[in-house]
C-alpha cells in the first residue's frame, strides 16, 4: 500500500520507520542532514559503514533509535546528482525485506533520489511501485515535498 502526502513534513507523519537516500561516501546534505541531526547514533553508524566500505551501492542500512527504525538507502555512490534507478530499487527491496522480518507496518518516505540525487520522480515512483507491490501490507507514506 502506497499513500502520498502532499506538502507534509516527513518527521510529522506517524510511522514506525522512515527512510531516506544516502551516498556511500559519508557526505550528508538536504534531507539526509536533517535525518542525521535527529538520529545522531544513526549518523555515527552510517559514517562508520562508509569509512570501512561496509555500505555498498544499492544496499540498505537499518538503525533503531528514538523508538523508530531509520532506513538509510544507498541510492548513489557519490554526493550530488548520482542516484541510479537500479540502486533505488535494490535498496527498496532490502528495506522491504527488513520491514517484513521486523514486522514494521508503516514507513515514511521522501521522494528518494529525485532531489539532490538528480533522478526524475516519475521514474523513481515507478520503481518503488514495482517493489512495493510485494510489500505484504506495509504502508509506504511518501511525502511529495519535504520540509526540514
Amino acid at each position: 500500500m502506497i499513500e502520498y502526502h502532499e506538502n507534509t513534513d516527513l518527521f510529522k507523519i506517524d510511522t514506525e520507520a522512515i527512510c531516506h537516500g544516502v551516498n556511500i561516501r559519508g557526505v550528508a546534505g538536504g534531507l539526509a542532514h536533517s535525518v542525521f541531526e535527529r538520529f545522531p547514533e544513526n549518523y555515527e553508524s552510517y559514517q562508520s559503514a562508509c569509512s570501512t566500505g561496509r555500505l555498498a551501492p544499492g544496499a540498505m542500512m537499518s538503525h533503531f533509535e528514538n523508538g523508530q527504525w531509520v532506513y538509510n538507502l544507498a541510492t548513489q555512490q557519490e554526493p550530488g546528482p548520482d542516484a541510479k534507478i537500479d540502486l533505488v530499487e535494490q535498496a527498496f527491496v532490502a528495506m522491504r525485506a527488513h520491514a517484513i522480518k521486523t514486522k514494521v507496518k508503516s514507513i515514511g518516505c521522501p521522494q528518494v533520489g529525485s532531489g539532490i540525487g538528480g533522478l526524475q520522480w516519475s521514474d523513481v515512483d515507478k520503481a518503488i511501485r514495482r517493489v512495493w507491490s510485494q510489500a505484504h501490507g506495509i504502508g509506504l507514506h511518501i511525502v511529495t515535498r519535504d520540509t526540514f
Side-chain angles (χ1 to χ4, degrees):
M1 171 187 87
I2 297 177
E3 186 176 319
Y4 295 88
H5 303 264
E6 286 188 37
N7 299 319
T8 302
D9 184 336
L10 175 66
F11 302 113
K12 292 184 179 174
I13 296 175
D14 185 23
T15 58
E16 295 175 55
I18 63 168
C19 70
H20 68 115
V22 297
N23 61 67
I24 64 163
R25 302 293 180 224
V27 177
L31 179 63
H33 179 74
S34 296
V35 170
F36 291 136
E37 281 184 331
R38 290 174 185 264
F39 301 95
E41 292 171 16
N42 178 48
Y43 180 65
E44 290 175 24
S45 295
Y46 165 70
Q47 286 292 303
S48 175
C50 289
S51 67
T52 60
R54 289 180 289 132
L55 184 60
M60 177 279 302
M61 215 183 102
S62 62
H63 183 84
F64 191 79
E65 186 175 346
N66 299 331
Q68 193 171 36
W69 283 103
V70 179
Y71 294 117
N72 304 286
L73 308 176
T75 58
Q76 56 196 77
Q77 288 189 295
E78 303 296 331
D82 190 50
K84 307 283 188 283
I85 290 292
D86 62 322
L87 300 181
V88 171
E89 206 162 330
Q90 291 169 31
F92 269 82
V93 167
M95 178 174 69
R96 180 188 68 201
H98 182 274
I100 290 169
K101 179 180 174 185
T102 57
K103 298 182 179 11
V104 168
K105 293 296 179 197
S106 58
I107 302 170
C109 179
Q111 291 175 295
V112 173
S114 65
I116 293 173
L119 296 173
Q120 293 296 314
W121 171 244
S122 59
D123 297 332
V124 175
D125 189 42
K126 288 175 193 168
I128 291 171
R129 287 177 170 279
R130 276 193 302 274
V131 172
W132 227 251
S133 67
Q134 300 172 36
H136 308 290
I138 302 166
L140 188 65
H141 299 268
I142 297 176
V143 296
T144 56
R145 179 180 159 261
D146 298 317
T147 53
F148 47 93

